[in-house]
């Protein structure tokens, strides 16, 4: 059987630099990555009903601001925003995810017969992940010391939906069991309270903090010491 796969990745980059004067520099940069992929499931005989179309969107935005206060004092500020997201329910509109994954074990001599799209928590995938980060670094040269200190704050947003696990997977020993609706194995993520499909929508939030301080000390023309602390 033929199992064709199609991939069409694209990436776009835009950057702007603004120099209002010799003491200030402002930069904006972004990378936009767009993907398109149609995957065939050979496990179900490459039937079109199991094809999955994925269109992931990766975005990265960066804003930089450098301020020169004096020949020996510089401040560098940076803000980042990244996002990864795609929704296979929308992109795979021709795939009927209402049909469960069904497998019959003894129908074929060398394997199973399968139909329906593959069953997993990420089939269909519905992802939305974002990260925001702010960082500031100050550099100062004083005599034979080069001081540098700064900190950063990062916040992560996880809004993934793992409802693909709510689609059932049924395995039958033979055609007779399949006709009598008596599977020997079934799999589904169910709500332990109601017995219905579980709500797998996530809204996780997490924060990270960090700071550092360092000193490059030119003790002698042929001897330098680097001292620092990072948390």
């Amino acid at each position: 059987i033929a199992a064709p796969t199609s991939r069409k990745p694209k990436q776009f980059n835009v950057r702007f630099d603004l120099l209002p004067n010799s003491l200030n520099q402002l930069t904006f940069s972004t990378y936009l990555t767009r993907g398109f992929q149609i995957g065939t499931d050979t496990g179900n005989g490459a039937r079109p009903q199991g094809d999955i179309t994925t269109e992931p969107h990766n975005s990265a935005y960066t804003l930089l601001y450098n301020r020169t206060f004096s020949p020996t004092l510089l401040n560098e500020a940076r803000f980042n925003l990244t996002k990864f997201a795609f929704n296979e329910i929308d992109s795979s509109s021709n795939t009927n995810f209402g049909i469960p994954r069904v497998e019959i074990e003894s129908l074929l001599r060398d394997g199973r017969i399968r139909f329906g799209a593959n069953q997993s928590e990420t089939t269909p995938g519905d992802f939305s992940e974002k990260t925001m980060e702010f960082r500031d670094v100050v550099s100062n040269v004083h005599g034979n010391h080069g001081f540098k200190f700064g900190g950063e704050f990062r916040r992560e947003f996880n809004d993934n939906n793992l409802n693909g696990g709510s689609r059932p997977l049924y395995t039958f020993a033979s055609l007779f069991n399949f006709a009598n609706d008596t599977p020997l194995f079934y799999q589904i993520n169910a709500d332990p309270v109601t017995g219905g499909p579980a709500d797998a929508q996530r809204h996780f939030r997490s924060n990270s903090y960090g700071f550092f301080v360092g000193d490059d000390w030119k003790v002698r023309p042929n001897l330098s010491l680097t001292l620092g602390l990072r948390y």
Side-chain angles (χ1 to χ4, degrees), residues 118-144:
N118 189 28
Q119 195 267 6
S120 72
E121 290 184 340
T122 57
T123 307
D126 186 3
F127 293 93
S128 178
E129 302 173 3
K130 296 183 291 292
T131 301
M132 295 191 309
E133 180 183 83
F134 174 76
R135 179 183 302 176
D136 191 78
V137 178
V138 177
S139 302
N140 183 28
V141 177
H142 184 72
N144 59 350

Side-chain angles (χ1 to χ4, degrees), residues 52 86-91 97 121-127 161 164:
I52 304 296
F86 66 84
N87 188 331
E88 288 180 337
I89 300 176
D90 296 336
S91 61
F97 291 107
E121 290 184 340
T122 57
T123 307
D126 186 3
F127 293 93
N161 191 331

Side-chain angles (χ1 to χ4, degrees), residues 17-26 65-69:
D17 290 283
L18 178 63
L19 300 172
N21 52 56
S22 60
L23 301 179
N24 297 278
Q25 178 182 356
L26 189 65
Y65 174 60
N66 294 339
R67 167 69 177 179
T68 302
F69 292 95

Side-chain angles (χ1 to χ4, degrees), residues 170-190:
Y170 298 104
T171 301
F172 299 88
S174 64
L175 278 176
F176 178 81
N177 301 110
F178 175 68
N180 284 276
D181 194 23
T182 54
L184 60 86
F185 172 83
Y186 70 91
Q187 175 177 292
I188 185 173
N189 289 345

Side-chain angles (χ1 to χ4, degrees), residues 199-221:
D199 182 8
Q201 176 68 60
R202 302 291 185 253
H203 297 289
F204 296 139
R205 303 291 183 267
S206 60
N207 298 326
S208 300
Y209 308 86
F211 68 87
F212 75 94
V213 58
D215 177 18
D216 288 328
W217 180 19
K218 191 76 169 178
V219 182
R220 299 181 60 184

